[in-house]
Amino acid sequence: MRADMPQCDVASPARTMQRLFDSLTQQLGTAWKPTVLRPRRGHAYRCRCGRPVFFRNSLCLACHTELGFDPERGTLLPLVPGPFVSTWMEAAAATNGASADVPLYTRCANYDSAAGCNWLLPLAAPAAGRSPQLLCRACRLNRMIPNQAEEAGREAWAKIELAKRRLVAQLLALGLPVASKLSEDPQRGIAFDFLADQPGARVMTGHGGGIITLNIEEADDAVRERNRAELHEPYRTLLGHLRHEVGHYYWDRLVDGTPWLESFRTLFGDERASYSEALRRNYEQGPPHDWVDHYISGYASSHPWEDWAETWSHYLHITDTLETALGFGLDASDVELESEPFGADALETAFDPEATKFLAFISAWVELSALLNELSRSMGQPDLCPFVLSRTVVRKLHFVHRVVRGQGAG
């Protein structure tokens, strides 16, 4: 949900890294449908002892090696102590090279907090006139956090931060601009407020002017499930909330006022239609009966802004889940599914040089999501991926993909 209609200047992003989709589609081309069986790789992250370790880990439970996530390289590193107090070095680099040439890291200041942040910062001299950076790329985005004097606040913050770190890691890997509105880019940056309801004051989850607000009750599984059922939603998670709201931020940043806007209006509709009236109508009347043919969710049908945010969120879901599946060595030989693949008629434009890659990306997702749903059903659970991709939805996903790749260049 949007809190307002901020207008943002268009500027070239600080980052131009495009590695995630390139790497993902390269793997899909060689690993998703391999001509020969390849050895399983386990998870993409491994400790120096050879055991698999995971994104959230700060310690290997097998050999007790310290671990830390380097957001610039997008990888979890086994660590050894550095030459100075509270400094760390990558274990492999320290073993193979001269210690004087090995980069040094420090841990995020939130490592010892309830957030338990396992991200690293490169040890570097601060810029002239500035204090050294103590918070990592993800934690420096926080403007307000839950009350840490209360156990409930600490528990909520721990869950929220884990979801937010996964979000930020993906945004960086996609090469999207991620800068703190507080300390790096006051005009076009982003910040998060994680707030609790107060007597007479209800916190609304939403986005406005680069500030993403999340009601911390969403970190309570029971409350979130109650809200999901009351709103007749098939899917509601902390990570889903954050991906949706950050979609509003990137619409302001990458679409509004850029050459993408005309194509957006053709595909999603005119965002100048009354937003408040659209939401009122949605909550009173519900989505149109044929929404599944045109939207990724019923809520997406309420207004073009929400259609964009829901489609954006789904694009991030697809990208992260496919990357995880490939990291575990899963491939199409594990999936027995006959489906009609989407063709060029499902693309937003026929002039995309990556059209073939994108269609392979979507086809792999259709196969994987079918497998995930069958696994979930075998446990007696609802479908893990309760979404249907129509051709119109694929066309919108293609538009989101092109904006992410184009970085607002138009």
Side-chain angles (χ1 to χ4, degrees), residues 20 32 100 108 137 170 192 197 214 246 265 272 282 296 347 362 404:
L20 179 55
W32 187 246
C108 176
R137 293 291 300 272
Q170 185 182 25
F192 291 84
D197 290 337
L214 179 71
V246 85
R265 288 174 177 166
R272 293 169 293 187
N282 176 73
I296 191 62
L347 295 175
I362 290 297
V404 169

Side-chain angles (χ1 to χ4, degrees), residues 294-317:
H294 307 285
Y295 304 95
I296 191 62
S297 70
Y299 186 58
S301 69
S302 62
H303 189 275
W305 276 334
E306 298 306 334
D307 192 8
W308 161 269
E310 287 286 88
T311 307
W312 170 279
S313 177
H314 205 71
Y315 178 78
L316 298 189
H317 291 335

Side-chain angles (χ1 to χ4, degrees), residues 131-267:
S131 300
Q133 184 60 257
L134 301 177
L135 296 174
C136 71
R137 293 291 300 272
C139 288
R140 71 185 67 159
L141 304 178
N142 292 339
R143 189 171 75 161
M144 301 185 71
I145 64 172
N147 185 353
Q148 296 301 285
E150 300 175 355
E151 182 178 359
R154 295 192 295 272
E155 292 178 353
W157 192 37
K159 293 179 180 179
I160 293 168
E161 283 299 321
L162 182 58
K164 195 193 80 187
R165 288 196 294 273
R166 190 166 193 112
L167 168 74
V168 175
Q170 185 182 25
L171 297 177
L172 291 172
L174 286 168
L176 290 163
V178 181
S180 171
K181 194 173 184 67
L182 309 177
S183 60
E184 295 169 326
D185 189 345
Q187 296 301 317
R188 297 180 299 130
I190 189 172
F192 291 84
D193 286 347
F194 304 130
L195 306 176
D197 290 337
Q198 300 299 322
R202 171 75 173 164
V203 173
M204 298 300 295
T205 294
H207 165 264
I211 304 296
I212 290 177
T213 302
L214 179 71
N215 190 321
I216 67 170
E217 71 174 13
E218 293 293 336
D220 185 315
D221 294 341
V223 173
R224 191 176 62 255
E225 175 59 21
R226 183 193 68 203
N227 292 340
R228 187 198 65 78
E230 289 178 354
L231 294 172
H232 307 289
E233 296 174 345
Y235 172 91
R236 191 181 183 97
T237 66
L238 276 176
L239 184 55
H241 273 307
L242 296 176
R243 283 174 170 164
H244 175 100
E245 299 304 339
V246 85
H248 287 304
Y249 164 74
Y250 282 113
W251 188 90
D252 289 338
R253 181 76 186 266
L254 302 179
V255 178
D256 190 23
T258 77
W260 292 111
L261 186 56
E262 182 178 353
S263 296
F264 168 85
R265 288 174 177 166
T266 299
L267 192 56

Side-chain angles (χ1 to χ4, degrees), residues 327-351:
F328 275 98
L330 188 67
D331 61 50
S333 64
D334 300 304
V335 184
E336 293 185 6
L337 175 69
E338 292 185 4
S339 61
E340 185 69 26
F342 290 102
D345 61 323
L347 295 175
E348 187 264 332
T349 176
F351 300 103

Side-chain angles (χ1 to χ4, degrees), residues 44-54 57-61 63-70 73-82 87-96 102-103 105 107 118 120:
Y45 308 132
R46 285 189 177 272
C47 180
R48 61 176 177 170
C49 70
R51 293 291 186 91
V53 289
F54 304 94
N57 294 155
S58 57
L59 184 72
C60 174
L61 298 180
C63 69
H64 305 292
T65 293
E66 295 273 349
L67 306 169
F69 183 78
D70 180 353
R73 295 164 58 186
T75 190
L76 191 70
L77 302 177
L79 304 171
V80 294
T87 64
W88 300 90
M89 300 183 293
E90 180 184 358
T95 301
N96 298 330
V102 176
Y105 296 94
R107 285 198 178 276
N118 68 339
L120 302 170

